[in-house]
Structure formats: C-alpha cells, structure tokens
C-alpha cells in the first residue's frame, strides 16, 4: 500500500513539473487578465476596435512600453511619446510641426490622442482607417521615426524582457509585426478622456460659472454643428477657410483624389483644447483667440469647397470671445493629463485599473 502511494505521489510530482515546464516554454494555456473599455454614460457606442484584438492588461502593458520606447526609431532618439506628450493631451506642446529623426520635421501638427475608439478614420486627412494599421506610418516615415519593421522586430526579439511581456500577452514569446501593432492599438485605443469640468457638470457633480454658462450658449449656437457633443467632433472632414499652406497640403483630396475634398481636414475634438496648442493641421495658430478670430475675420469665403456653415463667418465681440474661451477651458480633463495608466514613468497596469 505504501509503495502504491509513493508511486502515485511520484507520478503527481512528475506531471506537475511537466505542466509547469510546458507553461514556461510558452506552449501551454495562458490566461491574460481581461481589461474593459469603460464607455462614459450617455456616449455613443464606440467602434468595435477590439473585436479581433482582445483587450488585456498584459497587451496594454506591452503597448505602453512600445509607445514610450525610443529604440523603435532609426537613431534611437524618437518614441511615439516624443510627439504625443501626456501633459499636452498627447499632442506636441508648443511646436507647430513634429520633430523626427536626424533633425527632420513633419509637415503637419501632431494631433492629440484620446477617444480614438470613436474614430473611423485617423490622421488629418483620414488616410488611415484602422487603429492597428496606424502606427506603421510614424514608425516608418523618414520624417518621423524612420525605422524599418524588420529592424524593430529584431530589436524586440533580442530583448528578453520584451519576450516575457509578449508571452504574457499573447501566449508565447513570438514577436512579429502583427503583435506589435495589436499591442500599440490596445494602449492607444484605451485612452479615454471624459472627466473634465464639463463632464462633471453633465453628471451633476459641478456647475458652470456664469461666464462659462454664457460661453456654453455661444458654443451651442456657433460651434456644435461640427464639434458635436459629447466627443466635441463629428469626425468629418471640412474646409474651414484657411489658405493653402507652404507645403501645398490639400488635405483629404490627397487621399480621395477628388477636387471636392480640396483643403478639407478632419474636425478635431475640442476636448483638452486648452493644452493642445498650436492649432490647425499645420499648427499655424498658437492661441485660442487667434483661432476664434479666424472664424470671425480670417475665413477665405471665396474657396469653392468651403464648408457651407462658414460662409457667413462668426459674429462675435470681444466679451463673447472670452466667454467662449472660458467654456472651452471646461473641456480640460486634468485627470487624463496625469493618469498613471498612460504615463511612461509608472509600473505596469493591473486588474484594479479596469
């Protein structure tokens, strides 16, 4: 009897060791921790960007590390976060154009990153229509990170810490371009900004001041048709009456090839607009008063593709201008600008951040 028990015990130990070895080798079942995308109350349903890319804690953590890693660039100097800085709502603070490798510059202003799950097209011209494809442009553009996918994959495969992270996220240590793009999509697709004073007012947790209330009324009268609540964009492409710039950037027309899309650019969200200067697709306006003045006095009304809503320009006096600005300041989500989940200086996200 004792002999049988000893044999059974030995077999159990052997089986346990075998199972553990299989798991360590990356061939056994794995159970990443699910991470939920919390949709703010009253918001429309987002695009199902994680339908074929299950959102997990482990995948998110890989994506965040990739986002902040300058070694993905050609000369190891530029990361995604170099042009998308958290304190500026993941736009580029105080720079009209983004800096790339080897002291190069882009020809457009880096857009702020948040609420991407509600976007069907990305970039100022809508040239990218899927979040998992989007990183390919900045990673390989010679004016941005200037790298080659093959070199990035080689670098990641040579790093044992990345191997461990990819294994935790995807079940084994294999690192390829698809997994890199999926991980980055999990990180950027999780960026939700929905806790500004405006949001708190809508939730009954705060109240507008009188000047903010007046500004809100002005906003609803003059701006909401394009910058629709609660996203503060309708994600459309419109010509807002600016001149053709020095880069001969025709915007949406460069993607569709249709003259009707000449000088049309994506309507940006006004959320966090207080911290995302400079403005417009090429960063040619450095202050909100300048932006509002454009709509009052600077629109080129003779342009054939000018948005019909702007034909009569904006009628606004100085007092109303500042009322409107004070309302726009209520769209600043300070908690998003400091959220440790999206910071490059914190430890990994865990389940309690779901």
């Amino acid at each position: 009897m004792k002999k049988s028990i000893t044999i059974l015990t030995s077999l159990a130990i052997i089986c346990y060791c075998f199972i553990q070895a299989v798991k360590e080798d990356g061939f056994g079942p794995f159970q990443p921790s699910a991470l939920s995308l919390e949709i703010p109350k009253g918001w429309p349903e987002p695009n199902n960007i994680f339908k074929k890319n299950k959102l997990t804690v482990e995948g998110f953590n890989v994506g965040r590390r990739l986002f902040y890693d300058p070694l993905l660039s050609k000369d190891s100097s530029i990361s995604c976060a170099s042009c998308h800085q958290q304190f500026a709502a993941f736009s580029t603070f105080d720079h009209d154009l983004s800096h790339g490798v080897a002291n190069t510059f882009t020809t457009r202003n880096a857009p702020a990153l948040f609420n991407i799950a509600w976007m069907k097209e990305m970039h100022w011209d809508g040239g990218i229509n899927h979040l998992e494809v989007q990183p390919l442009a900045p990673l390989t553009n010679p004016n941005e990170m200037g790298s080659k996918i093959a070199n990035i994959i080689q670098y990641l495969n040579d790093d044992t810490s990345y191997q461990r992270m990819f294994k935790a996220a995807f079940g084994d240590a294999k690192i390829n371009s698809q997994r890199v793009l999926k991980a980055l999509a999990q990180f950027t697709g999780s960026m939700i900004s929905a806790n500004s004073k405006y949001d708190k007012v809508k939730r009954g947790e705060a109240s507008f001041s009188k000047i903010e209330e007046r500004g809100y009324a002005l906003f609803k009268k003059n701006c909401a048709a394009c910058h629709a609540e609660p996203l503060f964009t309708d994600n459309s492409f419109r010509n807002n009456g600016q001149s053709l710039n020095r880069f001969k950037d025709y915007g949406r027309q460069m993607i569709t090839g249709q003259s009707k899309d000449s000088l049309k650019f994506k309507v940006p969200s006004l959320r966090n607009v207080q911290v995302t200067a400079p403005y417009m697709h090429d960063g040619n306006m450095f202050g909100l008063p300048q932006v509002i003045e454009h709509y009052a006095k600077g629109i080129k009304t003779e342009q054939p593709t000018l948005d019909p809503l702007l034909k009569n320009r904006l009628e606004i006096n100085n007092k109303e201008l500042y009322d409107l600005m004070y309302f726009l300041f209520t769209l600043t989500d300070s908690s998003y600008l400091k959220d440790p989940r999206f910071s490059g200086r914190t430890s990994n996200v865990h389940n309690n951040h779901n």
Side-chain angles (χ1 to χ4, degrees):
M1 184 66 177
K2 290 182 178 179
K3 185 176 181 180
S4 298
I5 293 174
T6 301
I7 292 173
L8 289 173
T9 301
S10 299
L11 288 172
I13 293 172
I14 291 171
C15 289
Y16 174 80
C17 292
F18 175 76
I19 291 171
Q20 291 302 113
V22 168
K23 288 182 177 180
E24 287 299 316
D25 287 340
F27 298 107
F30 77 111
Q31 295 181 333
S33 302
L35 190 63
S36 61
L37 186 71
E38 295 185 4
I39 303 170
K41 185 178 180 180
W43 284 37
E45 285 294 314
N47 302 313
N48 196 357
I49 59 174
F50 299 122
K51 182 178 181 179
K52 297 182 179 180
N53 181 19
K54 184 179 178 182
L55 182 59
T56 66
V57 170
E58 292 79 5
F60 176 98
N61 286 333
V62 174
R64 183 173 65 175
R65 181 175 173 186
L66 291 168
F67 186 86
Y68 283 96
D69 193 343
L71 296 180
L72 299 186
S73 65
K74 182 178 180 180
D75 62 4
S76 302
S77 65
I78 302 292
S79 69
C80 301
S82 298
C83 297
H84 298 284
Q85 301 162 311
Q86 185 176 14
F87 66 87
F90 292 96
S91 66
T92 303
F93 175 72
D94 200 34
H95 287 257
D96 52 351
L97 307 174
S98 297
H99 295 245
V101 296
N103 294 317
T104 57
F105 289 88
T106 63
T107 59
R108 288 178 178 168
N109 181 249
L113 300 182
F114 50 81
N115 304 335
I116 300 171
W118 283 266
M119 297 181 185
K120 291 184 178 179
E121 295 97 4
M122 281 145 274
H123 294 190
W124 283 104
D125 55 19
I128 303 294
N129 61 10
H130 197 292
L131 182 56
E132 289 180 29
V133 179
Q134 189 281 328
L136 288 173
L139 285 171
T140 60
N141 192 315
N143 289 346
E144 295 184 64
M145 297 174 74
S147 193
K148 295 181 179 179
I149 297 300
N151 293 343
I152 292 173
I153 301 305
Q154 183 63 56
Y155 154 63
L156 297 174
N157 275 305
D158 289 342
D159 188 318
T160 56
S161 63
Y162 265 119
Q163 291 178 19
R164 289 192 295 270
M165 293 185 74
F166 272 85
K167 178 181 175 181
F170 298 103
D172 59 63
K174 181 180 180 181
I175 301 176
N176 55 28
S177 58
Q178 183 182 44
R179 288 182 173 180
V180 168
L181 296 174
K182 283 182 177 294
L184 282 167
Q186 289 196 38
F187 178 67
T188 56
S190 298
M191 293 176 166
I192 296 180
S193 178
N195 197 37
S196 64
K197 180 177 181 178
Y198 161 86
D199 297 299
K200 293 174 183 176
V201 171
K202 290 298 180 178
R203 295 196 299 259
E205 301 168 8
S207 300
F208 286 136
S209 67
K210 290 183 179 180
I211 189 171
E212 292 166 349
E213 193 69 60
R214 293 196 301 267
Y216 187 28
L218 285 166
F219 168 82
K220 288 187 287 186
K221 177 183 177 181
N222 297 291
C223 314
C226 301
H227 297 281
E229 300 173 67
L231 296 171
F232 287 88
T233 175
D234 63 358
N235 284 316
S236 65
F237 299 87
R238 300 174 187 257
N239 177 351
N240 71 347
Q242 292 189 89
S243 300
L244 181 66
N245 67 15
R246 67 187 188 277
F247 302 113
K248 306 298 181 183
D249 190 344
Y250 286 91
R252 184 68 172 161
Q253 183 182 2
M254 299 169 70
I255 301 300
T256 66
Q258 299 181 27
S259 58
K260 68 177 183 177
D261 290 325
S262 175
L263 297 177
K264 291 184 179 181
F265 295 89
K266 189 170 186 177
V267 176
S269 173
L270 294 181
R271 285 183 172 272
N272 299 301
V273 69
Q274 184 179 10
V275 299
T276 57
Y279 308 105
M280 304 300 175
H281 63 279
D282 56 359
N284 71 83
M285 298 183 189
F286 278 78
L288 280 177
Q290 185 181 3
V291 173
I292 297 172
E293 283 291 323
H294 163 74
Y295 289 106
K297 301 176 182 178
I299 295 174
K300 306 297 181 183
T301 56
E302 73 280 2
Q303 292 178 349
T305 61
L306 178 68
D307 193 279
L309 294 173
L310 302 177
K311 289 290 185 181
N312 296 322
R313 296 180 174 170
L314 173 66
E315 294 185 7
I316 190 169
N317 59 41
N318 286 339
K319 180 179 179 297
E320 291 172 330
L321 183 150
Y322 285 100
D323 287 348
L324 179 57
M325 283 180 54
Y326 270 92
F327 167 70
L328 294 176
F329 292 163
T330 72
L331 303 180
T332 303
D333 183 353
S334 298
S335 60
Y336 179 70
L337 308 182
K338 300 176 182 178
D339 194 327
R341 293 174 300 171
F342 306 121
S343 171
R345 301 186 300 275
T346 61
S347 58
N348 287 343
V349 167
H350 300 289
N351 289 354
N352 59 345
H353 290 297
N354 284 8

